[in-house]
Amino acid sequence: MRQETKDMTNGQPLPLIIGFAVPMLISSIFQQLYSAVDTLIVSRYLGSNALAGVGATGMLTFLLLSLALGMGNGGGLIIAQCFGNHDKKKMWQTIVAMTWLMAVLAVVLSVCGYLLCEPILRMLKVPVEVLPYSVSYLKIIFAFTGGMVIYNWASSILRSVGDSKTPLYALIAASFINIGLDLLLIIKFDLGVRGAAIATVFSQFISGFICLFVLLRTRDEYGFDKRALFPDAHNMWLVVKTSIPSTFQSCMISIGGISVQRLINSFGADVMAGYTAASKVDSLAIQVILAVGNALCVFTGQNIGAGKVDRVKVALKKSQVVMLISACIIAVCAYVFRFNIMELFIDPEDSMLALEAGAQYLSIVGVAYLICAVMQSYQNVIRGAGDVNTCMVAGLTELAGKVFFAYLLSPFIGATGIWLSTPLSWGCGCVIPVVRYYSGKWQYKKLIE
């Protein structure tokens, strides 16, 4: 497999951004579809208690992923700026620091997660009948955290230099392996949720090793120096400092999500079912906006590193046009076909209330994508420039708005208030990055000298 780096400091901005975004979009869509198939296998062959047991691990696995993603994204921002500045020495120093930090992270997460998962699950009041499933699943996931950490470490480095295809190929290969192993270990060898966990960690190692193989083959492009395999304190602190904001933000989002979910649960099973189905559609539909936003972030990082701020400003305007057009198309489809979409998940004869709740959610959130497009465009420029603290504050503002408006409005207008909290919170999240962008201060937050 050949690495395809992409220098975004020269050429027309929009084709570069779209070309980089498309593989990430396919990857995200594929991941969402794979997740649905994985859930279906567990549900169909192991029953509702097993499915509930695996589902109960969601918060802990999301926190685990947040830590790995946060560290990877932090190091990736620095590497993108080094790549744009053609500073291979600094790039290699960052990779070394990032490697050691993530290796330590993998060991700590494995040991602590394995030992503490059961007490934490009990603290979260996981029902007794599903607790054994949750514990069995999580102990394997935590014991072999290394695969996920390797993938996030390697894919972050690859994407920072413009290679979004290798992580895509790795993810596709791992997804097929995961599904195949799910069927083999659960049906043939009767390993239950342990089979699902083994399939997950094995596929994570496969995806990680594919990305690692490409990195090793092209190590000279990163300034490889076998005499510099140990990190210095300055570069380690730079990676940590850059990683903390996004990591903290992701962890807080997880906690905030639990709070809103509890509120949704209070409206009964029908509203819960409608929300669950609609949120799966939502997570798929929003990927276009997120992919273009992430590509804009890498573009910004490389061009800030090269000192080409004017290209970033041009890229922002053109990316916004693409994101807003996409948001309009999604909004129209979500509104016009909301009932048809929901009928794919919910039988009207089984629960018309659930179908209506999900359709209402889709119509409201669909229109809100216009706000999301604006928020994502400005926020990813700010993030790519290295102004990560501003992004963290914006993200926490969005989260606070989500919880505040959901609890404020729902007593008066029911579940509709929870659905409305999404566009209102995105509006809150828009304000800070927009103000920050037009202040011009983000231009001076470069992470490298």
Side-chain angles (χ1 to χ4, degrees):
M1 185 180 292
R2 183 174 60 87
Q3 182 186 14
E4 298 183 21
T5 59
K6 183 174 291 186
D7 184 351
M8 297 187 180
T9 59
N10 295 289
Q12 291 295 318
L14 189 58
L16 289 169
I17 290 172
I18 298 299
F20 185 74
V22 168
M24 286 199 299
L25 174 61
I26 297 172
S27 176
S28 298
I29 291 174
F30 201 89
Q31 197 166 26
Q32 294 294 330
L33 293 174
Y34 144 72
S35 178
V37 173
D38 201 37
T39 300
L40 179 63
I41 293 171
V42 173
S43 175
R44 184 177 181 87
Y45 293 101
L46 298 180
S48 58
N49 280 348
L51 180 61
V54 174
T57 68
M59 188 193 76
L60 289 178
T61 53
F62 180 77
L63 287 173
L64 175 68
L65 181 62
S66 296
L67 291 168
L69 280 174
M71 191 69 71
N73 289 339
L77 285 176
I78 303 169
I79 294 168
Q81 293 192 11
C82 292
F83 184 77
N85 195 41
H86 304 290
D87 188 348
K88 288 190 176 183
K89 180 179 180 181
K90 181 69 173 179
M91 188 187 301
W92 178 248
Q93 291 173 343
T94 302
I95 291 173
V96 170
M98 185 178 167
T99 303
W100 280 87
L101 285 168
M102 295 195 77
V104 172
L105 177 67
V107 173
V108 172
L109 288 175
S110 291
V111 174
C112 293
Y114 186 87
L115 296 176
L116 299 176
C117 64
E118 184 169 353
I120 292 174
L121 288 168
R122 291 185 183 277
M123 183 182 68
L124 294 174
K125 297 183 178 179
V126 174
V128 176
E129 62 270 21
V130 304
L131 183 63
Y133 297 106
S134 300
V135 173
S136 297
Y137 184 84
L138 267 185
K139 281 194 171 183
I140 294 173
I141 294 295
F142 275 113
F144 298 97
T145 300
M148 183 198 64
V149 173
I150 291 171
Y151 174 76
N152 281 284
W153 166 77
S155 63
S156 294
I157 296 172
L158 291 168
R159 290 188 180 113
S160 67
V161 299
D163 181 6
S164 58
K165 292 183 179 179
T166 299
L168 167 62
Y169 300 148
L171 181 62
I172 290 175
S175 297
F176 279 116
I177 290 171
N178 195 327
I179 293 172
L181 283 176
D182 271 339
L183 294 170
L184 179 66
L185 298 177
I186 292 173
I187 301 173
K188 179 70 174 178
F189 292 99
D190 196 25
L191 292 179
V193 294
R194 290 178 299 159
I198 292 170
T200 296
V201 297
F202 186 84
S203 64
Q204 287 172 343
F205 272 105
I206 293 297
S207 62
F209 287 143
I210 290 174
C211 292
L212 179 61
F213 173 74
V214 174
L215 281 177
L216 291 175
R217 285 191 60 187
T218 57
R219 57 187 178 274
D220 290 339
E221 296 184 23
Y222 299 93
F224 173 75
D225 184 356
K226 63 182 180 181
R227 297 167 299 178
L229 298 178
F230 294 92
D232 61 84
H234 170 73
N235 285 296
M236 290 189 76
W237 171 241
L238 181 60
V239 173
V240 170
K241 183 176 68 174
T242 310
S243 304
I244 285 175
S246 62
T247 304
F248 178 72
Q249 179 184 341
S250 295
C251 292
M252 292 305 297
I253 287 172
S254 175
I255 296 171
I258 293 170
S259 176
V260 173
Q261 183 65 56
R262 288 184 62 188
L263 182 60
I264 293 170
N265 295 348
S266 69
F267 285 91
D270 289 325
V271 172
M272 289 171 62
Y275 171 76
T276 300
S279 63
K280 289 185 180 293
V281 178
D282 172 31
S283 63
L284 188 62
I286 201 173
Q287 293 304 322
V288 176
I289 296 171
L290 296 181
V292 176
N294 288 331
L296 179 60
C297 178
V298 174
F299 179 93
T300 300
Q302 290 193 14
N303 281 277
I304 287 291
K308 298 181 178 181
V309 177
D310 289 341
R311 282 176 57 81
V312 175
K313 295 178 179 179
V314 172
L316 171 64
K317 293 178 181 178
K318 293 186 175 182
S319 297
Q320 279 182 331
V321 172
V322 173
M323 294 168 82
L324 287 170
I325 291 174
S326 300
C328 287
I329 295 171
I330 295 170
V332 170
C333 291
Y335 183 79
V336 173
F337 301 108
R338 61 193 186 280
F339 287 104
N340 304 86
I341 294 171
M342 291 306 302
E343 285 177 1
L344 296 173
F345 297 88
I346 299 171
D347 186 348
E349 295 181 1
D350 184 35
S351 177
M352 191 64 190
L353 180 59
L355 190 144
E356 289 175 347
Q360 185 187 52
Y361 175 88
L362 282 183
S363 61
I364 291 173
V365 174
V367 175
Y369 287 148
L370 292 165
I371 304 172
C372 182
V374 175
M375 179 182 70
Q376 284 291 323
S377 60
Y378 285 105
Q379 198 170 86
N380 277 289
V381 166
I382 301 297
R383 181 180 291 110
D387 196 356
V388 289
N389 288 327
T390 298
C391 290
M392 180 183 69
V393 174
L396 294 179
T397 302
E398 177 192 344
L399 171 62
K402 175 82 171 178
V403 176
F404 174 77
F405 287 116
Y407 278 86
L408 176 68
L409 298 175
S410 59
F412 301 100
I413 54 177
T416 305
I418 305 176
W419 313 155
L420 287 172
S421 69
T422 295
L424 291 172
S425 65
W426 282 345
C428 294
C430 255
V431 174
I432 292 174
V434 169
V435 171
R436 185 68 166 181
Y437 177 82
Y438 287 107
S439 75
K441 294 180 180 179
W442 58 277
Q443 302 176 48
Y444 310 107
K445 290 292 182 177
K446 188 176 179 180
L447 296 170
I448 60 174
E449 298 298 331

